[in-house]
Amino acid sequence: MAGWRRAIELAMSDEDIESLRALARSRTEPARRVERARMLLAYCETPSFYAVGQSVGVHHQTVERCVERALAHGPLAALDDRPHPGKEPTITPEAKAWLASLACDKAKDHGYPHELWTTRLLARHARKHGPAAGHACLANLVQGTVSKILGKEEIKPHKVRYYLENRDAAFEQKMAEVLCVYREVAVLKKAPAKSKRRKSVAVVCCDEKPGIQAIATTAPDLPPEPGVHATFARDHEYKRHGTLSLLAGIDLLTGKVHALVRDRHRSREFIELLKLLDAAYPKGTAIKLILDNHSAHISKETTAWLATRPAGRFEFTFTPKHGSWLNLIEGFFSKFARSVLRHIRVTSKHELKQRIMAGINDVNRNPVIHTWSYKLAEAA
């Protein structure tokens, strides 16, 4: 007949007991550590596996194993799980390398209609073709394992990160030309206000902002109401009335904005803007324009109209391809879109045109003189 199970004598220091009490009251520690701390504290008061198990709500053998670990490794070490050897990995390093190499291809290159891989599609392809490639361990590959393998290799074949390739061989030269104009502006700004040199030159950054939508609401906006909603409330449905294009040029010496709003931005509209600039400055003033290579800026119609003007009246300096950030008008368009056009709702295209021009007039009442400083010292 088996003998009675004897209680194990467990001696703990005052520091261990205080640490266990703090852990037993913790709300942030893992539940298993809190439970084991309560077991050890209860066992110190009542050295009975059965009594402690009933008070804590666990099996008495669980209490016994916890006490035995505390006796062998210490009370605090007994709170943690013992390390498990785990299952030996079945996927070989060669198979992982093959899978990573496969993920670096496009799915469409392997006969799928998908442009890029998904982890589910990649796992399916590996299960089908992996064994034939000499990796039998991939026969039962699952999606989660694919994610872990690709995660360790820091490969994300389902995502696209865009970059911009430099397609203008003369980028540096064209940028230098634009910077030279900006440097000339800096020199003119330092000249006396009544200097004849300052009156004879005007530098204008020009561009178009197409596709400004004329959107109407289908229900009235609800104003903010204290305690109900802090913002304007707007119905999700809307009605489109078409789009408009804003053609504008900003004078870098005065800050004045010359603008037109039209349905389109073809050569004829750009010529209208040039006529507006031509009428805005005295006849002896040389108007230097900084603009991009839009087709309307270099078309036959534009070239023919420029030929009718006196020599030296207009001088174009083109930004390089993908170099529109060199044009200061882009900063104005960005600010204008955020301050005037953002969330705008109108009843017609005519109203949108009026409000855009009202915004331009508001800007011209307190013009801001834009200054370019990036790499300006490097300009020849």
Side-chain angles (χ1 to χ4, degrees):
M1 181 176 178
W4 292 97
R5 186 186 300 272
R6 295 184 179 181
I8 300 175
E9 183 178 354
L10 179 63
M12 293 190 296
S13 64
D14 293 340
E15 294 180 359
D16 291 338
I17 293 176
E18 287 299 322
S19 298
L20 291 174
R21 287 175 178 171
L23 288 169
R25 295 191 300 267
S26 175
R27 292 179 177 269
T28 58
E29 286 287 331
R32 61 181 181 277
R33 286 174 57 86
V34 174
E35 185 180 65
R36 290 165 186 170
R38 292 173 56 200
M39 290 183 201
L40 296 179
L41 290 173
Y43 188 82
C44 285
E45 297 178 0
T46 306
S48 169
F49 301 137
Y50 291 95
V52 172
Q54 290 180 353
S55 63
V56 179
V58 297
H59 196 273
H60 66 87
Q61 290 181 349
T62 303
V63 180
E64 183 179 1
R65 286 194 297 269
C66 182
V67 173
E68 289 176 350
R69 287 201 301 271
L71 187 63
H73 306 288
L76 297 181
L79 305 181
D80 297 320
D81 293 332
R82 287 179 293 182
H84 299 282
K87 185 180 179 180
E88 288 293 330
T90 58
I91 300 179
T92 63
E94 293 78 11
K96 293 179 181 179
W98 179 83
L99 185 67
S101 176
L102 182 66
C104 292
D105 296 336
K106 285 188 175 182
K108 69 173 185 177
D109 297 334
H110 292 268
Y112 294 98
H114 310 69
E115 177 73 13
L116 303 177
W117 291 109
T118 64
T119 51
R120 190 183 302 277
L121 179 62
L122 193 57
R124 190 179 76 188
H125 182 87
R127 287 195 301 268
K128 183 177 180 180
H129 300 281
H135 307 293
C137 57
L138 298 178
N140 298 316
L141 185 67
V142 295
Q143 179 185 2
T145 305
V146 172
S147 299
K148 291 179 181 178
I149 294 173
L150 298 184
K152 290 182 180 180
E153 298 293 337
E154 296 185 354
I155 299 175
K156 300 177 181 179
H158 59 288
K159 291 188 176 182
V160 175
R161 186 181 67 181
Y162 288 89
Y163 73 97
L164 186 61
E165 184 178 352
N166 185 4
R167 293 181 172 86
D168 195 337
F171 188 94
E172 296 293 334
Q173 178 184 349
K174 293 179 180 178
M175 181 177 70
E177 293 174 358
V178 175
L179 295 181
C180 284
V181 178
Y182 287 146
R183 188 172 184 181
E184 182 181 356
V185 171
V187 173
L188 291 173
K189 287 179 179 178
K190 294 179 181 179
K194 297 182 179 180
S195 173
K196 293 183 179 179
R197 185 182 180 187
R198 180 162 184 172
K199 288 184 178 180
S200 62
V201 178
V203 182
V204 182
C205 289
C206 292
D207 203 1
E208 298 86 11
K209 183 176 178 60
I212 304 175
Q213 297 191 72
I215 299 178
T217 57
T218 57
D221 288 346
L222 303 179
E225 187 174 345
V228 181
H229 50 85
T231 65
F232 276 92
R234 175 172 289 169
D235 188 79
H236 286 281
E237 294 187 3
Y238 57 88
K239 183 178 180 181
R240 298 179 185 269
H241 291 297
T243 60
L244 293 175
S245 294
L246 170 62
L247 296 85
I250 184 168
D251 191 315
L252 300 187
L253 295 174
T254 64
K256 182 178 179 180
V257 179
H258 306 274
L260 293 173
V261 179
R262 296 292 184 265
D263 290 341
R264 301 173 68 178
H265 57 290
R266 300 163 296 178
S267 298
R268 65 185 66 177
E269 285 80 18
F270 178 62
I271 292 173
E272 284 189 62
L273 179 63
L274 294 180
K275 290 180 179 179
L276 181 66
L277 294 173
D278 193 28
Y281 295 99
K283 293 182 179 181
T285 301
I287 305 174
K288 296 187 176 183
L289 300 183
I290 297 176
L291 63 172
D292 59 23
N293 288 276
H294 189 274
S295 58
H297 303 162
I298 55 178
S299 66
K300 294 181 180 179
E301 294 86 345
T302 301
T303 304
W305 184 85
L306 290 173
T308 64
R309 309 312 302 151
R313 177 60 166 172
F314 286 95
E315 180 182 336
F316 286 8
T317 301
F318 295 102
T319 59
K321 190 172 184 178
H322 297 316
S324 59
W325 53 273
L326 286 166
N327 197 335
L328 273 171
I329 192 68
E330 299 295 341
F332 167 76
F333 281 155
S334 176
K335 184 177 180 181
F336 192 78
R338 286 182 278 113
S339 60
V340 178
L341 302 179
R342 187 168 179 241
H343 302 310
I344 193 169
R345 292 294 184 268
V346 293
T347 58
S348 64
K349 290 173 64 175
H350 178 69
E351 182 187 348
L352 177 60
K353 178 180 178 180
Q354 288 183 325
R355 292 181 64 176
I356 291 175
M357 292 308 300
I360 297 295
N361 294 334
D362 184 70
V363 171
N364 287 333
R365 276 192 286 270
N366 298 286
V368 177
I369 299 177
H370 292 65
T371 302
W372 184 275
S373 59
Y374 177 70
K375 288 191 175 182
L376 192 60
E378 301 178 15

